[in-house]
Amino acid sequence: MSEVTGDTVISAISVKLHSSFSPSPNIYKDQVEQGLVKPCFFVSCITQQQERIAKNWFKRTASMLIRFHPTENTDKYSQCRTVGEKLLDVLESINLPNSMINYPSLPCWGRDLEYKIQDEVLLFYVTYDFKVKRELVEEPKMTELEFIL
């Protein structure tokens, strides 16, 4: 079973960003040490929660931050607003791997989508809820019972 993690969600968002913008901007995971090329996106999982819903089923919630750094020598605020509006549609859903039924991926719908512009950088927040199933480890069963008198 392929378990969905924060990195899986980051990859799904990156695929969606890559296919939705032309020309495709650079997309970085978390941070870049050097050589930042603008315009670009940074995709981070800022919090993740887990809640048990059955013996081996869990609901996970991943809160994501997508930062957009606009092109230099442009109206950065206008560029950030345009990208923010587009992200409200683009990141409404992402495709996550699925191992629960015989289908390779399922859409995962985002909630609490919001953006703001701070210091000429777009900050876009979205939360995704998804379910994961853990394989149960079968414990050895007792074979015989001895009575001692």
Side-chain angles (χ1 to χ4, degrees):
M1 176 179 97
S2 64
E3 188 170 306
V4 178
T5 64
D7 283 340
T8 311
V9 178
I10 288 173
S11 294
I13 290 172
S14 298
V15 166
K16 196 83 181 253
L17 292 174
H18 183 73
S19 65
S20 300
F21 288 88
S22 181
S24 181
N26 291 312
I27 301 169
Y28 301 102
K29 177 182 170 184
D30 301 320
Q31 298 180 25
V32 64
E33 297 299 321
Q34 58 186 5
L36 175 71
V37 178
K38 296 179 183 180
C40 63
F41 288 100
F42 286 88
V43 183
S44 303
C45 180
I46 53 177
T47 64
Q48 197 165 8
Q49 299 173 341
Q50 179 171 285
E51 173 186 348
R52 183 183 300 272
I53 54 178
K55 185 175 183 177
N56 62 330
W57 285 91
F58 298 87
K59 174 188 169 193
R60 285 195 182 161
T61 301
S63 298
M64 309 301 293
L65 169 61
I66 297 91
R67 295 187 340 247
F68 173 73
H69 294 261
T71 308
E72 296 292 336
N73 303 321
T74 62
D75 182 358
K76 293 180 181 181
Y77 283 94
S78 176
Q79 191 176 1
C80 285
R81 279 192 305 277
T82 300
V83 170
E85 289 295 323
K86 186 170 183 174
L87 289 178
L88 288 171
D89 292 329
V90 168
L91 296 179
E92 181 180 31
S93 72
I94 57 174
N95 288 323
L96 292 178
N98 174 45
S99 61
M100 292 179 254
I101 58 175
N102 192 17
Y103 194 74
S105 68
L106 287 175
C108 180
W109 297 95
R111 63 178 172 84
D112 303 329
L113 288 81
E114 114 178 71
Y115 74 86
K116 63 183 175 181
I117 302 167
Q118 187 174 335
D119 299 328
E120 299 181 333
V121 173
L122 173 72
L123 304 173
F124 188 90
Y125 300 91
V126 59
T127 300
Y128 295 102
D129 298 318
F130 49 93
K131 293 184 175 87
V132 294
K133 180 181 180 184
R134 288 212 186 119
E135 297 299 321
L136 292 176
V137 177
E138 199 168 312
E139 296 181 19
K141 296 178 180 162
M142 188 176 356
T143 55
E144 293 181 19
L145 183 61
E146 283 185 36
F147 288 104
I148 302 176
L149 296 174

